mmCIF file of all heavy atoms in Angstrom:
data_model
loop_
_atom_site.group_PDB
_atom_site.id
_atom_site.type_symbol
_atom_site.label_atom_id
_atom_site.label_comp_id
_atom_site.label_asym_id
_atom_site.label_seq_id
_atom_site.Cartn_x
_atom_site.Cartn_y
_atom_site.Cartn_z
ATOM 1 N N GLY A 1114 -66.729 18.209 65.764
ATOM 2 C CA GLY A 1114 -65.335 17.804 65.760
ATOM 3 C C GLY A 1114 -64.423 18.753 66.527
ATOM 4 O O GLY A 1114 -64.882 19.693 67.188
ATOM 5 N N LEU A 1115 -63.130 18.513 66.418
ATOM 6 C CA LEU A 1115 -62.128 19.264 67.183
ATOM 7 C C LEU A 1115 -60.848 19.411 66.383
ATOM 8 O O LEU A 1115 -60.400 18.468 65.720
ATOM 9 C CB LEU A 1115 -61.823 18.528 68.498
ATOM 10 C CG LEU A 1115 -60.535 18.928 69.237
ATOM 11 C CD1 LEU A 1115 -60.747 20.260 69.940
ATOM 12 C CD2 LEU A 1115 -60.123 17.859 70.235
ATOM 13 N N GLN A 1116 -60.267 20.597 66.436
ATOM 14 C CA GLN A 1116 -58.903 20.851 65.982
ATOM 15 C C GLN A 1116 -58.217 21.724 67.019
ATOM 16 O O GLN A 1116 -58.750 22.777 67.395
ATOM 17 C CB GLN A 1116 -58.892 21.595 64.637
ATOM 18 C CG GLN A 1116 -59.268 20.768 63.430
ATOM 19 C CD GLN A 1116 -59.217 21.598 62.161
ATOM 20 O OE1 GLN A 1116 -60.157 22.313 61.821
ATOM 21 N NE2 GLN A 1116 -58.108 21.518 61.460
ATOM 22 N N VAL A 1117 -57.051 21.298 67.492
ATOM 23 C CA VAL A 1117 -56.265 22.096 68.420
ATOM 24 C C VAL A 1117 -54.804 22.029 67.987
ATOM 25 O O VAL A 1117 -54.241 20.942 67.834
ATOM 26 C CB VAL A 1117 -56.392 21.600 69.879
ATOM 27 C CG1 VAL A 1117 -55.469 22.405 70.793
ATOM 28 C CG2 VAL A 1117 -57.825 21.715 70.371
ATOM 29 N N ASN A 1118 -54.193 23.196 67.771
ATOM 30 C CA ASN A 1118 -52.775 23.307 67.452
ATOM 31 C C ASN A 1118 -52.092 24.107 68.553
ATOM 32 O O ASN A 1118 -52.514 25.230 68.854
ATOM 33 C CB ASN A 1118 -52.560 24.011 66.104
ATOM 34 C CG ASN A 1118 -53.233 23.282 64.956
ATOM 35 O OD1 ASN A 1118 -53.494 22.084 65.033
ATOM 36 N ND2 ASN A 1118 -53.528 24.001 63.891
ATOM 37 N N ALA A 1119 -51.067 23.538 69.169
ATOM 38 C CA ALA A 1119 -50.332 24.214 70.235
ATOM 39 C C ALA A 1119 -48.848 24.164 69.909
ATOM 40 O O ALA A 1119 -48.278 23.078 69.742
ATOM 41 C CB ALA A 1119 -50.602 23.564 71.588
ATOM 42 N N ASP A 1120 -48.227 25.334 69.803
ATOM 43 C CA ASP A 1120 -46.799 25.428 69.506
ATOM 44 C C ASP A 1120 -46.025 25.738 70.784
ATOM 45 O O ASP A 1120 -46.499 26.495 71.646
ATOM 46 C CB ASP A 1120 -46.546 26.514 68.460
ATOM 47 C CG ASP A 1120 -45.136 26.450 67.903
ATOM 48 O OD1 ASP A 1120 -44.934 25.739 66.911
ATOM 49 O OD2 ASP A 1120 -44.243 27.097 68.481
ATOM 50 N N GLY A 1121 -44.839 25.150 70.883
ATOM 51 C CA GLY A 1121 -44.030 25.350 72.080
ATOM 52 C C GLY A 1121 -43.603 26.780 72.317
ATOM 53 O O GLY A 1121 -43.168 27.116 73.430
ATOM 54 N N SER A 1122 -43.729 27.646 71.316
ATOM 55 C CA SER A 1122 -43.367 29.047 71.512
ATOM 56 C C SER A 1122 -44.254 29.704 72.572
ATOM 57 O O SER A 1122 -43.895 30.748 73.112
ATOM 58 C CB SER A 1122 -43.477 29.807 70.189
ATOM 59 O OG SER A 1122 -44.790 29.734 69.657
ATOM 60 N N LEU A 1123 -45.408 29.083 72.883
ATOM 61 C CA LEU A 1123 -46.244 29.587 73.965
ATOM 62 C C LEU A 1123 -45.485 29.624 75.281
ATOM 63 O O LEU A 1123 -45.699 30.493 76.130
ATOM 64 C CB LEU A 1123 -47.479 28.698 74.127
ATOM 65 C CG LEU A 1123 -48.630 28.908 73.155
ATOM 66 C CD1 LEU A 1123 -49.581 27.740 73.232
ATOM 67 C CD2 LEU A 1123 -49.345 30.207 73.451
ATOM 68 N N LEU A 1124 -44.590 28.648 75.467
ATOM 69 C CA LEU A 1124 -43.820 28.525 76.697
ATOM 70 C C LEU A 1124 -42.364 28.882 76.475
ATOM 71 O O LEU A 1124 -41.491 28.443 77.232
ATOM 72 C CB LEU A 1124 -43.934 27.095 77.240
ATOM 73 C CG LEU A 1124 -45.350 26.574 77.444
ATOM 74 C CD1 LEU A 1124 -45.324 25.120 77.890
ATOM 75 C CD2 LEU A 1124 -46.090 27.429 78.465
ATOM 76 N N ASP A 1125 -42.091 29.675 75.426
ATOM 77 C CA ASP A 1125 -40.724 30.032 75.065
ATOM 78 C C ASP A 1125 -39.871 28.799 74.831
ATOM 79 O O ASP A 1125 -38.669 28.770 75.163
ATOM 80 C CB ASP A 1125 -40.095 30.922 76.157
ATOM 81 C CG ASP A 1125 -40.767 32.272 76.247
ATOM 82 O OD1 ASP A 1125 -41.192 32.780 75.196
ATOM 83 O OD2 ASP A 1125 -40.881 32.811 77.365
ATOM 84 N N PHE A 1126 -40.487 27.756 74.280
ATOM 85 C CA PHE A 1126 -39.770 26.523 73.956
ATOM 86 C C PHE A 1126 -40.220 26.061 72.579
ATOM 87 O O PHE A 1126 -40.991 25.111 72.436
ATOM 88 C CB PHE A 1126 -40.053 25.443 75.002
ATOM 89 C CG PHE A 1126 -39.191 24.213 74.861
ATOM 90 C CD1 PHE A 1126 -37.823 24.273 75.088
ATOM 91 C CD2 PHE A 1126 -39.757 22.995 74.503
ATOM 92 C CE1 PHE A 1126 -37.046 23.142 74.958
ATOM 93 C CE2 PHE A 1126 -38.978 21.857 74.368
ATOM 94 C CZ PHE A 1126 -37.615 21.936 74.605
ATOM 95 N N PRO A 1127 -39.755 26.742 71.513
ATOM 96 C CA PRO A 1127 -40.261 26.469 70.169
ATOM 97 C C PRO A 1127 -39.765 25.171 69.552
ATOM 98 O O PRO A 1127 -39.993 24.929 68.375
ATOM 99 C CB PRO A 1127 -39.764 27.678 69.378
ATOM 100 C CG PRO A 1127 -38.522 28.107 70.079
ATOM 101 C CD PRO A 1127 -38.760 27.847 71.543
ATOM 102 N N VAL A 1128 -39.107 24.326 70.326
ATOM 103 C CA VAL A 1128 -38.585 23.069 69.789
ATOM 104 C C VAL A 1128 -39.720 22.104 69.453
ATOM 105 O O VAL A 1128 -39.655 21.381 68.460
ATOM 106 C CB VAL A 1128 -37.608 22.421 70.797
ATOM 107 C CG1 VAL A 1128 -37.133 21.059 70.271
ATOM 108 C CG2 VAL A 1128 -36.420 23.328 71.033
ATOM 109 N N LEU A 1129 -40.776 22.099 70.266
ATOM 110 C CA LEU A 1129 -41.839 21.117 70.110
ATOM 111 C C LEU A 1129 -43.181 21.776 69.831
ATOM 112 O O LEU A 1129 -43.388 22.947 70.152
ATOM 113 C CB LEU A 1129 -41.961 20.257 71.372
ATOM 114 C CG LEU A 1129 -40.766 19.382 71.747
ATOM 115 C CD1 LEU A 1129 -41.036 18.669 73.064
ATOM 116 C CD2 LEU A 1129 -40.479 18.373 70.642
ATOM 117 N N GLY A 1130 -44.081 20.987 69.249
ATOM 118 C CA GLY A 1130 -45.451 21.426 69.028
ATOM 119 C C GLY A 1130 -46.338 20.236 68.758
ATOM 120 O O GLY A 1130 -45.854 19.108 68.564
ATOM 121 N N ILE A 1131 -47.642 20.452 68.763
ATOM 122 C CA ILE A 1131 -48.587 19.360 68.528
ATOM 123 C C ILE A 1131 -49.796 19.876 67.781
ATOM 124 O O ILE A 1131 -50.230 21.017 67.962
ATOM 125 C CB ILE A 1131 -49.014 18.699 69.865
ATOM 126 C CG1 ILE A 1131 -49.839 17.444 69.600
ATOM 127 C CG2 ILE A 1131 -49.779 19.673 70.744
ATOM 128 C CD1 ILE A 1131 -50.113 16.603 70.831
ATOM 129 N N GLN A 1132 -50.341 19.027 66.898
ATOM 130 C CA GLN A 1132 -51.618 19.253 66.221
ATOM 131 C C GLN A 1132 -52.527 18.081 66.560
ATOM 132 O O GLN A 1132 -52.106 16.918 66.448
ATOM 133 C CB GLN A 1132 -51.433 19.321 64.700
ATOM 134 C CG GLN A 1132 -50.512 20.410 64.195
ATOM 135 C CD GLN A 1132 -50.242 20.252 62.710
ATOM 136 O OE1 GLN A 1132 -49.511 19.363 62.287
ATOM 137 N NE2 GLN A 1132 -50.843 21.121 61.910
ATOM 138 N N THR A 1133 -53.753 18.346 66.996
ATOM 139 C CA THR A 1133 -54.692 17.277 67.317
ATOM 140 C C THR A 1133 -55.972 17.438 66.520
ATOM 141 O O THR A 1133 -56.308 18.537 66.063
ATOM 142 C CB THR A 1133 -55.030 17.259 68.824
ATOM 143 O OG1 THR A 1133 -55.670 18.492 69.177
ATOM 144 C CG2 THR A 1133 -53.779 17.093 69.662
ATOM 145 N N PHE A 1134 -56.680 16.332 66.372
ATOM 146 C CA PHE A 1134 -57.849 16.310 65.504
ATOM 147 C C PHE A 1134 -58.807 15.220 65.976
ATOM 148 O O PHE A 1134 -58.382 14.131 66.386
ATOM 149 C CB PHE A 1134 -57.401 16.037 64.067
ATOM 150 C CG PHE A 1134 -58.448 15.379 63.206
ATOM 151 C CD1 PHE A 1134 -59.414 16.134 62.570
ATOM 152 C CD2 PHE A 1134 -58.452 14.004 63.054
ATOM 153 C CE1 PHE A 1134 -60.381 15.514 61.795
ATOM 154 C CE2 PHE A 1134 -59.417 13.379 62.269
ATOM 155 C CZ PHE A 1134 -60.379 14.149 61.640
ATOM 156 N N ALA A 1135 -60.103 15.507 65.966
ATOM 157 C CA ALA A 1135 -61.143 14.504 66.196
ATOM 158 C C ALA A 1135 -62.328 14.859 65.315
ATOM 159 O O ALA A 1135 -62.742 16.015 65.256
ATOM 160 C CB ALA A 1135 -61.563 14.455 67.666
ATOM 161 N N ALA A 1136 -62.875 13.868 64.622
ATOM 162 C CA ALA A 1136 -63.966 14.126 63.685
ATOM 163 C C ALA A 1136 -65.313 14.222 64.382
ATOM 164 O O ALA A 1136 -66.191 14.966 63.944
ATOM 165 C CB ALA A 1136 -64.022 13.024 62.627
ATOM 166 N N ASN A 1137 -65.500 13.484 65.477
ATOM 167 C CA ASN A 1137 -66.797 13.404 66.133
ATOM 168 C C ASN A 1137 -66.571 13.172 67.622
ATOM 169 O O ASN A 1137 -66.359 12.041 68.063
ATOM 170 C CB ASN A 1137 -67.618 12.267 65.518
ATOM 171 C CG ASN A 1137 -69.021 12.176 66.075
ATOM 172 O OD1 ASN A 1137 -69.416 12.959 66.940
ATOM 173 N ND2 ASN A 1137 -69.789 11.220 65.589
ATOM 174 N N LEU A 1138 -66.613 14.239 68.416
ATOM 175 C CA LEU A 1138 -66.340 14.124 69.837
ATOM 176 C C LEU A 1138 -67.389 13.294 70.572
ATOM 177 O O LEU A 1138 -67.121 12.778 71.654
ATOM 178 C CB LEU A 1138 -66.258 15.520 70.477
ATOM 179 C CG LEU A 1138 -65.014 16.340 70.132
ATOM 180 C CD1 LEU A 1138 -65.090 17.705 70.805
ATOM 181 C CD2 LEU A 1138 -63.748 15.611 70.552
ATOM 182 N N ALA A 1139 -68.573 13.162 70.012
ATOM 183 C CA ALA A 1139 -69.621 12.383 70.672
ATOM 184 C C ALA A 1139 -69.292 10.897 70.693
ATOM 185 O O ALA A 1139 -69.745 10.171 71.578
ATOM 186 C CB ALA A 1139 -70.962 12.604 69.978
ATOM 187 N N ARG A 1140 -68.473 10.437 69.729
ATOM 188 C CA ARG A 1140 -68.134 9.009 69.649
ATOM 189 C C ARG A 1140 -66.634 8.742 69.730
ATOM 190 O O ARG A 1140 -66.231 7.630 70.058
ATOM 191 C CB ARG A 1140 -68.667 8.413 68.329
ATOM 192 C CG ARG A 1140 -70.176 8.318 68.246
ATOM 193 C CD ARG A 1140 -70.580 7.587 66.981
ATOM 194 N NE ARG A 1140 -69.927 6.275 66.881
ATOM 195 C CZ ARG A 1140 -70.434 5.157 67.391
ATOM 196 N NH1 ARG A 1140 -71.581 5.206 68.048
ATOM 197 N NH2 ARG A 1140 -69.821 4.004 67.237
ATOM 198 N N MET A 1141 -65.820 9.734 69.399
ATOM 199 C CA MET A 1141 -64.369 9.550 69.324
ATOM 200 C C MET A 1141 -64.018 8.323 68.478
ATOM 201 O O MET A 1141 -63.182 7.501 68.842
ATOM 202 C CB MET A 1141 -63.772 9.435 70.719
ATOM 203 C CG MET A 1141 -63.725 10.741 71.478
ATOM 204 S SD MET A 1141 -62.762 12.029 70.625
ATOM 205 C CE MET A 1141 -61.105 11.350 70.715
ATOM 206 N N ASP A 1142 -64.665 8.215 67.322
ATOM 207 C CA ASP A 1142 -64.393 7.086 66.434
ATOM 208 C C ASP A 1142 -63.225 7.372 65.503
ATOM 209 O O ASP A 1142 -62.524 6.453 65.085
ATOM 210 C CB ASP A 1142 -65.644 6.728 65.635
ATOM 211 C CG ASP A 1142 -66.207 7.919 64.876
ATOM 212 O OD1 ASP A 1142 -66.169 9.034 65.418
ATOM 213 O OD2 ASP A 1142 -66.707 7.734 63.744
ATOM 214 N N LEU A 1143 -63.009 8.641 65.161
ATOM 215 C CA LEU A 1143 -61.944 9.006 64.239
ATOM 216 C C LEU A 1143 -61.175 10.182 64.823
ATOM 217 O O LEU A 1143 -61.732 11.264 65.009
ATOM 218 C CB LEU A 1143 -62.540 9.377 62.871
ATOM 219 C CG LEU A 1143 -61.579 9.918 61.813
ATOM 220 C CD1 LEU A 1143 -60.481 8.910 61.505
ATOM 221 C CD2 LEU A 1143 -62.332 10.290 60.540
ATOM 222 N N PHE A 1144 -59.906 9.976 65.134
ATOM 223 C CA PHE A 1144 -59.115 11.037 65.746
ATOM 224 C C PHE A 1144 -57.637 10.768 65.485
ATOM 225 O O PHE A 1144 -57.235 9.667 65.083
ATOM 226 C CB PHE A 1144 -59.381 11.124 67.260
ATOM 227 C CG PHE A 1144 -59.086 9.857 68.008
ATOM 228 C CD1 PHE A 1144 -57.839 9.634 68.581
ATOM 229 C CD2 PHE A 1144 -60.057 8.882 68.139
ATOM 230 C CE1 PHE A 1144 -57.566 8.467 69.269
ATOM 231 C CE2 PHE A 1144 -59.793 7.709 68.829
ATOM 232 C CZ PHE A 1144 -58.549 7.503 69.399
ATOM 233 N N GLY A 1145 -56.819 11.792 65.732
ATOM 234 C CA GLY A 1145 -55.383 11.638 65.510
ATOM 235 C C GLY A 1145 -54.614 12.849 65.984
ATOM 236 O O GLY A 1145 -55.184 13.831 66.471
ATOM 237 N N ALA A 1146 -53.302 12.785 65.839
ATOM 238 C CA ALA A 1146 -52.444 13.883 66.271
ATOM 239 C C ALA A 1146 -51.119 13.819 65.531
ATOM 240 O O ALA A 1146 -50.721 12.764 65.024
ATOM 241 C CB ALA A 1146 -52.206 13.838 67.777
ATOM 242 N N ARG A 1147 -50.462 14.953 65.484
ATOM 243 C CA ARG A 1147 -49.100 15.044 64.963
ATOM 244 C C ARG A 1147 -48.255 15.788 65.987
ATOM 245 O O ARG A 1147 -48.584 16.905 66.387
ATOM 246 C CB ARG A 1147 -49.065 15.793 63.631
ATOM 247 C CG ARG A 1147 -47.640 16.051 63.107
ATOM 248 C CD ARG A 1147 -47.676 16.787 61.776
ATOM 249 N NE ARG A 1147 -46.349 17.036 61.237
ATOM 250 C CZ ARG A 1147 -45.720 18.206 61.273
ATOM 251 N NH1 ARG A 1147 -46.314 19.271 61.841
ATOM 252 N NH2 ARG A 1147 -44.516 18.347 60.756
ATOM 253 N N VAL A 1148 -47.174 15.169 66.395
ATOM 254 C CA VAL A 1148 -46.195 15.804 67.273
ATOM 255 C C VAL A 1148 -44.980 16.138 66.419
ATOM 256 O O VAL A 1148 -44.500 15.281 65.663
ATOM 257 C CB VAL A 1148 -45.801 14.881 68.441
ATOM 258 C CG1 VAL A 1148 -44.777 15.561 69.333
ATOM 259 C CG2 VAL A 1148 -47.028 14.486 69.249
#
């Protein structure tokens, strides 16, 4: 699977961020994100 969290503070822009998720990258049957 996959989890990636990226916050806008990386680019000195803390207004936005994203969290992503995938349970099984081999099939991409279950995945999602939060902005």
